[in-house]
Amino acid sequence: MKTIKIATRKSALAMWQSEHIKARLEKSHPGLEVILVGMLSKGDVILDSPLAKIGGKGLFTKELEESMLKNESQIAVHSLKDVPVVFPDGLVLGAISSRDDVRDSFISEKFASFDELPKGAKVGTTSLRRRMQLLIKRPDLHIISLRGNVNTRLRKLKEGEFDAIILAKAGVNRLNLDKEIKYVLPFEVDEMIPAMGQGALGIECIKQDEILKILEVLKDENAMIETSIEREFAACLGGSCQVPIGVNAKISGDEICLNAIVGLPDGSEFIKDSTRVKLGTHNGLGKEFAQKFISQGALELLKQAELMAQNL
């Protein structure tokens, strides 16, 4: 194969990610030409409604998947946290790249830390997971839905619509945004448990042996272990962005540390737990940990959360 086409959204972060994968593939496979096919997704167009009301993060992948299914492109590069756990027939998750910083970041032009936010401060985020954990910490905060690409979100912050916003630290790093923002302070993982797959890139592709072989060079073993556990946990709970689920697996030496939280978008009820297991004994860990949450009423809590999300 001499040419591969990458279906990509046109946002700055999506283009950075696709350009990054393009460069890696062309360096590893001399003679291979990688072409970017830019397109708008429904999630990029509909900006006046929370994701939970209009179909979730799958809205960012649908058009790209249709392009691949029509063979107009062969792969798509996603932030893995945006990739649903179920794929259309004919498409697979071909590779998971090494992880950047998995944490969420507090970002503000006026306040140097989360603790400095005044009572009733306006904080922007689209994520129900972030909303829940922010309100657990500070029920007084006014959490406002914040849609749009990274540049749009930063513009709204700088124009004073928000006292602070929350962004993935990986996106901040990839676009070198630290230089544009006065205060960037990452939350520790146990303070704000990330989304499944956060910090990694997921390369979705057509189910074809030749394509899968080309993508082998992108695979990172540790990232695949960690994110597979996270995605298994979320899948067992029926996880999507319509419900607040945080889960993070971290390989540390010869152990895997797993943190998770599920609850209501207003933070009034939640289940939070962590566990450690020896690396090599982790098969089925995500499912096993999810069953522990289910035994504590997680499924009923998430059903309630989904209903609540429709009224935000």
Side-chain angles (χ1 to χ4, degrees), residues 6-10 15 36-40 64:
I6 299 179
T8 179
R9 295 162 56 204
K10 293 181 179 179
M15 292 298 290
L36 304 189
V37 181
M39 57 186 67
L40 285 175
L64 310 187

Side-chain angles (χ1 to χ4, degrees), residues 45 59 86 105 114 156 159 225 230 243 270 306:
V45 175
L59 290 175
V86 178
S105 285
F114 178 74
K156 290 181 178 181
E159 289 175 354
I225 291 171
E230 295 164 10
V243 291
F270 63 95
E306 191 166 2

Side-chain angles (χ1 to χ4, degrees), residues 34-258:
V34 181
I35 299 170
L36 304 189
V37 181
M39 57 186 67
L40 285 175
S41 72
K42 191 174 289 185
D44 294 311
V45 175
I46 304 173
L47 299 176
D48 56 355
S49 298
L51 284 175
K53 287 187 177 182
I54 59 174
K57 290 181 179 178
L59 290 175
F60 293 118
T61 59
K62 186 178 179 183
E63 282 81 3
L64 310 187
E65 288 175 338
E66 288 176 351
S67 170
M68 288 186 285
L69 290 171
K70 293 174 183 175
N71 206 31
E72 296 168 350
S73 58
Q74 291 76 46
I75 71 175
V77 180
H78 309 292
S79 295
L80 188 59
K81 67 183 178 65
D82 294 336
V83 179
V85 293
V86 178
F87 295 91
D89 288 342
L91 300 179
V92 294
L93 187 59
I96 296 170
S97 73
S98 58
R99 281 181 125 166
D100 200 319
D101 198 321
V102 303
R103 297 174 295 174
D104 289 308
S105 285
F106 168 87
I107 293 173
S108 180
E109 288 290 301
K110 297 185 286 186
F111 302 100
S113 72
F114 178 74
D115 291 337
E116 288 188 19
L117 286 175
K119 185 175 182 180
K122 296 179 291 183
V123 180
T125 178
T126 303
S127 163
L128 295 177
R129 171 189 61 83
R130 290 170 179 157
R131 169 188 283 268
M132 169 183 67
Q133 293 183 88
L134 290 168
L135 290 174
I136 289 171
K137 295 174 179 297
R138 291 277 303 272
D140 64 285
L141 294 178
H142 183 32
I143 309 298
I144 303 171
S145 180
L146 175 62
R147 297 286 313 283
N149 60 39
V150 172
N151 291 332
T152 299
R153 297 180 191 199
L154 289 181
R155 176 179 55 77
K156 290 181 178 181
L157 175 69
K158 289 175 182 292
E159 289 175 354
E161 290 186 39
F162 301 91
D163 296 303
I165 63 175
I166 312 298
L167 296 177
K169 187 64 167 66
V172 173
N173 293 347
R174 287 165 184 160
L175 296 178
N176 292 316
L177 298 177
D178 300 71
K179 300 171 184 176
E180 300 181 30
I181 309 159
K182 192 167 185 181
Y183 301 112
V184 179
L185 191 69
F187 291 98
E188 292 308 315
V189 167
D190 60 349
E191 291 182 298
M192 176 82 74
I193 298 176
M196 64 172 184
Q198 189 155 307
L201 299 181
I203 293 80
E204 189 177 8
C205 67
I206 58 174
K207 196 173 183 180
Q208 186 181 105
D209 289 343
E210 188 177 8
I211 297 292
L212 289 167
K213 188 174 180 180
I214 288 171
L215 297 180
E216 285 281 339
V217 297
L218 302 173
K219 292 183 177 179
D220 181 90
E221 185 177 356
N222 281 6
M224 290 179 71
I225 291 171
E226 292 171 353
T227 60
S228 293
I229 292 169
E230 295 164 10
R231 289 171 66 80
E232 183 180 68
F233 176 88
C236 288
L237 294 174
S240 68
C241 91
Q242 282 96 326
V243 291
I245 296 178
V247 58
N248 175 258
K250 172 66 176 175
I251 294 175
S252 180
D254 64 349
E255 289 187 322
I256 296 177
C257 179
L258 181 59

